[in-house]
Coordinates of all heavy atoms in Angstrom, one line a residue:
S13 N 11.9 -6.6 3.7 CA 10.9 -7.5 3.2 C 10.5 -7.0 1.8 O 9.6 -7.7 1.2 CB 9.7 -7.6 4.1 OG 9.1 -6.3 4.1
F14 N 11.1 -5.9 1.3 CA 10.6 -5.3 0.0 C 10.6 -6.3 -1.1 O 9.7 -6.4 -2.0 CB 11.4 -4.1 -0.2 CG 10.8 -3.2 -1.4 CD1 9.8 -2.4 -1.2 CD2 11.3 -3.4 -2.7 CE1 9.3 -1.7 -2.3 CE2 10.9 -2.7 -3.8 CZ 9.8 -1.8 -3.5
T15 N 11.7 -7.0 -1.3 CA 11.9 -7.9 -2.4 C 10.8 -9.0 -2.4 O 10.1 -9.3 -3.4 CB 13.2 -8.6 -2.4 OG1 14.2 -7.7 -2.5 CG2 13.4 -9.6 -3.5
A16 N 10.5 -9.6 -1.2 CA 9.5 -10.6 -1.2 C 8.1 -10.0 -1.3 O 7.2 -10.6 -2.0 CB 9.6 -11.4 0.2
D17 N 7.8 -9.0 -0.5 CA 6.4 -8.4 -0.4 C 6.1 -7.7 -1.7 O 4.9 -7.6 -2.0 CB 6.3 -7.4 0.8 CG 6.4 -8.2 2.1 OD1 6.3 -9.4 2.1 OD2 6.6 -7.5 3.1
V18 N 7.0 -7.1 -2.4 CA 6.6 -6.3 -3.5 C 7.2 -6.9 -4.9 O 6.4 -7.2 -5.8 CB 7.2 -4.8 -3.4 CG1 6.9 -4.0 -4.6 CG2 6.6 -4.2 -2.1
I19 N 8.5 -7.0 -5.0 CA 9.1 -7.5 -6.3 C 8.5 -8.9 -6.6 O 8.0 -9.1 -7.7 CB 10.6 -7.5 -6.2 CG1 11.1 -6.1 -5.8 CG2 11.2 -8.0 -7.6 CD1 10.7 -5.0 -6.8
E20 N 8.6 -9.9 -5.7 CA 8.2 -11.2 -6.0 C 6.7 -11.4 -6.0 O 6.2 -12.0 -6.9 CB 8.8 -12.2 -4.9 CG 10.4 -12.4 -4.9 CD 10.8 -12.9 -6.3 OE1 10.0 -13.8 -6.9 OE2 11.9 -12.5 -6.8
A21 N 6.0 -10.6 -5.1 CA 4.6 -10.7 -5.0 C 3.9 -10.1 -6.3 O 2.9 -10.6 -6.7 CB 4.1 -10.0 -3.8
S22 N 4.6 -9.1 -6.9 CA 4.0 -8.5 -8.1 C 4.0 -9.4 -9.3 O 3.4 -9.0 -10.3 CB 4.8 -7.2 -8.4 OG 6.0 -7.5 -8.8
K23 N 4.6 -10.6 -9.2 CA 4.6 -11.5 -10.3 C 3.2 -12.2 -10.3 O 2.9 -12.8 -11.3 CB 5.7 -12.5 -10.2 CG 7.1 -11.9 -10.3 CD 8.2 -12.9 -10.1 CE 9.6 -12.2 -10.2 NZ 10.7 -13.1 -10.0
D24 N 2.5 -12.2 -9.2 CA 1.2 -12.8 -9.1 C 0.1 -11.8 -9.0 O -1.1 -12.2 -9.4 CB 1.2 -13.7 -7.8 CG 2.2 -14.8 -7.9 OD1 2.4 -15.4 -9.0 OD2 2.8 -15.1 -6.8
A25 N 0.3 -10.6 -8.7 CA -0.8 -9.6 -8.6 C -0.2 -8.2 -8.7 O 1.0 -8.0 -8.6 CB -1.4 -9.8 -7.2
L26 N -1.1 -7.3 -9.0 CA -0.7 -5.9 -8.9 C -0.5 -5.5 -7.4 O -1.4 -5.7 -6.6 CB -1.9 -5.0 -9.5 CG -1.6 -3.5 -9.7 CD1 -0.4 -3.2 -10.7 CD2 -2.8 -2.8 -10.0
V27 N 0.7 -4.9 -7.2 CA 1.1 -4.5 -5.8 C 1.1 -3.0 -5.7 O 1.9 -2.4 -6.4 CB 2.3 -5.2 -5.3 CG1 2.7 -4.7 -3.9 CG2 2.2 -6.7 -5.4
L28 N 0.4 -2.5 -4.8 CA 0.4 -1.0 -4.4 C 1.4 -0.8 -3.2 O 1.3 -1.6 -2.3 CB -0.9 -0.4 -4.2 CG -2.0 -0.5 -5.3 CD1 -3.2 0.3 -4.9 CD2 -1.4 0.0 -6.6
V29 N 2.3 0.1 -3.3 CA 3.2 0.4 -2.2 C 2.9 1.8 -1.7 O 3.0 2.7 -2.4 CB 4.7 0.3 -2.6 CG1 5.5 0.5 -1.3 CG2 5.0 -1.1 -3.2
D30 N 2.4 1.8 -0.4 CA 2.0 3.1 0.2 C 3.1 3.6 1.1 O 3.3 3.0 2.2 CB 0.7 2.9 0.9 CG 0.2 4.1 1.7 OD1 0.6 5.2 1.4 OD2 -0.5 3.9 2.7
F31 N 3.8 4.6 0.8 CA 4.8 5.3 1.6 C 4.1 6.3 2.4 O 3.5 7.3 1.9 CB 5.9 5.9 0.8 CG 6.8 4.9 0.2 CD1 6.7 4.3 -1.0 CD2 8.0 4.4 0.9 CE1 7.6 3.3 -1.6 CE2 8.8 3.5 0.4 CZ 8.6 3.0 -0.8
W32 N 4.2 6.2 3.8 CA 3.5 7.0 4.7 C 4.4 7.4 5.8 O 5.6 6.9 5.9 CB 2.3 6.4 5.3 CG 2.6 5.1 6.0 CD1 2.9 3.9 5.6 CD2 2.8 5.1 7.4 NE1 3.3 3.0 6.6 CE2 3.2 3.7 7.8 CE3 2.6 5.9 8.5 CZ2 3.4 3.3 9.1 CZ3 2.9 5.5 9.8 CH2 3.3 4.2 10.1
A33 N 4.0 8.3 6.7 CA 4.7 8.6 7.9 C 3.7 9.0 9.0 O 2.6 9.5 8.7 CB 5.7 9.8 7.7
S34 N 4.1 8.8 10.3 CA 3.2 9.0 11.3 C 2.7 10.5 11.5 O 1.6 10.8 12.0 CB 3.8 8.5 12.7 OG 5.0 9.3 12.9
W35 N 3.6 11.4 11.1 CA 3.2 12.8 11.2 C 2.4 13.4 10.0 O 1.9 14.5 10.0 CB 4.5 13.6 11.3 CG 5.5 13.3 10.2 CD1 6.6 12.5 10.2 CD2 5.5 13.8 8.8 NE1 7.2 12.4 9.0 CE2 6.6 13.2 8.1 CE3 4.7 14.7 8.1 CZ2 6.9 13.5 6.8 CZ3 5.0 14.9 6.8 CH2 6.0 14.3 6.1
C36 N 2.2 12.5 9.1 CA 1.5 12.9 7.8 C -0.1 12.8 7.9 O -0.6 11.6 7.9 CB 2.0 12.1 6.6 SG 1.1 12.4 5.1
G37 N -0.7 13.9 8.1 CA -2.2 13.9 8.2 C -2.9 13.3 7.0 O -3.8 12.6 7.1
T38 N -2.4 13.6 5.8 CA -3.0 13.2 4.6 C -2.9 11.7 4.4 O -3.8 11.0 3.9 CB -2.4 13.9 3.4 OG1 -2.5 15.3 3.6 CG2 -3.1 13.5 2.1
C39 N -1.8 11.1 4.9 CA -1.5 9.7 4.9 C -2.6 9.0 5.7 O -3.2 7.9 5.2 CB -0.2 9.3 5.5 SG 1.2 10.0 4.6
K40 N -3.1 9.6 6.8 CA -4.1 8.9 7.6 C -5.5 9.0 6.9 O -6.4 8.1 7.2 CB -4.2 9.7 8.9 CG -2.9 9.6 9.8 CD -3.1 10.3 11.1 CE -1.7 10.3 11.9 NZ -1.8 11.1 13.1
Q41 N -5.6 9.8 5.9 CA -6.8 9.8 5.1 C -6.8 8.9 3.9 O -7.8 8.2 3.6 CB -7.1 11.3 4.6 CG -7.3 12.3 5.7 CD -7.3 13.7 5.0 OE1 -7.5 13.8 3.8 NE2 -7.2 14.8 5.9
V42 N -5.6 8.8 3.3 CA -5.5 8.0 2.1 C -5.4 6.5 2.4 O -6.0 5.7 1.7 CB -4.2 8.4 1.3 CG1 -4.0 7.5 0.1 CG2 -4.4 9.9 0.8
T43 N -4.7 6.1 3.4 CA -4.4 4.7 3.6 C -5.7 3.9 3.9 O -5.9 2.8 3.3 CB -3.5 4.5 4.9 OG1 -2.2 5.1 4.5 CG2 -3.3 3.0 5.1
P44 N -6.7 4.3 4.7 CA -7.9 3.6 4.8 C -8.7 3.4 3.5 O -9.3 2.4 3.3 CB -8.7 4.4 5.8 CG -7.7 5.2 6.6 CD -6.7 5.5 5.6
V45 N -8.6 4.4 2.6 CA -9.3 4.3 1.3 C -8.6 3.3 0.5 O -9.2 2.5 -0.2 CB -9.3 5.6 0.6 CG1 -10.0 5.5 -0.8 CG2 -10.0 6.7 1.5
L46 N -7.2 3.3 0.5 CA -6.5 2.3 -0.3 C -6.8 0.9 0.3 O -7.0 0.0 -0.6 CB -5.0 2.6 -0.1 CG -4.3 3.7 -0.9 CD1 -2.9 3.9 -0.4 CD2 -4.3 3.3 -2.4
E47 N -6.9 0.7 1.5 CA -7.2 -0.6 2.1 C -8.6 -1.1 1.7 O -8.8 -2.2 1.2 CB -7.2 -0.6 3.6 CG -5.8 -0.4 4.1 CD -5.8 -0.2 5.7 OE1 -6.8 0.0 6.3 OE2 -4.7 -0.3 6.3
K48 N -9.6 -0.2 1.7 CA -10.9 -0.5 1.3 C -11.0 -1.0 -0.2 O -11.6 -2.0 -0.6 CB -11.9 0.6 1.5 CG -13.3 0.5 1.0 CD -14.1 1.7 1.2 CE -15.5 1.6 0.6 NZ -16.2 2.9 0.7
V49 N -10.3 -0.2 -1.1 CA -10.3 -0.5 -2.5 C -9.6 -1.8 -2.8 O -10.1 -2.7 -3.5 CB -9.7 0.6 -3.3 CG1 -9.5 0.3 -4.8 CG2 -10.5 1.9 -3.1
V50 N -8.4 -2.0 -2.1 CA -7.7 -3.2 -2.4 C -8.4 -4.5 -1.9 O -8.4 -5.5 -2.6 CB -6.3 -3.1 -1.7 CG1 -5.6 -4.5 -1.6 CG2 -5.4 -2.1 -2.4
Q51 N -9.1 -4.4 -0.9 CA -9.9 -5.5 -0.3 C -11.0 -5.9 -1.3 O -11.3 -7.1 -1.4 CB -10.6 -5.2 1.0 CG -9.7 -5.1 2.2 CD -10.3 -4.7 3.5 OE1 -11.3 -3.9 3.4 NE2 -9.9 -5.1 4.6
S52 N -11.6 -4.9 -2.1 CA -12.6 -5.3 -3.0 C -12.2 -6.1 -4.2 O -13.1 -6.6 -4.9 CB -13.3 -4.0 -3.4 OG -12.5 -3.2 -4.3
Y53 N -10.9 -6.2 -4.4 CA -10.5 -6.9 -5.6 C -10.1 -8.4 -5.3 O -9.6 -9.1 -6.2 CB -9.2 -6.2 -6.2 CG -9.5 -5.0 -7.0 CD1 -9.7 -3.8 -6.4 CD2 -9.8 -5.1 -8.4 CE1 -10.1 -2.7 -7.1 CE2 -10.1 -4.0 -9.2 CZ -10.3 -2.8 -8.5 OH -10.7 -1.7 -9.3

């Protein structure tokens, strides 16, 4: 889905791509903050 969700979608808006993994503790801290900030726009 990368082409549709990121490449094509970025023609209409700024798209952030968050690469994460289930074992990554820091990811679990960063992703909720990203979601909160993105929602506000």
Side-chain angles (χ1 to χ4, degrees):
S13 67
F14 188 81
T15 298
D17 291 344
V18 179
I19 303 302
E20 293 300 323
S22 70
K23 295 177 182 179
D24 298 321
L26 180 69
V27 178
L28 302 185
V29 183
D30 173 23
F31 284 92
W32 62 279
S34 59
W35 50 263
C36 172
T38 306
C39 297
K40 296 176 183 178
Q41 299 173 13
V42 173
T43 299
V45 178
L46 282 169
E47 292 178 346
K48 175 184 177 183
V49 173
V50 167
Q51 284 175 331
S52 72
Y53 280 88

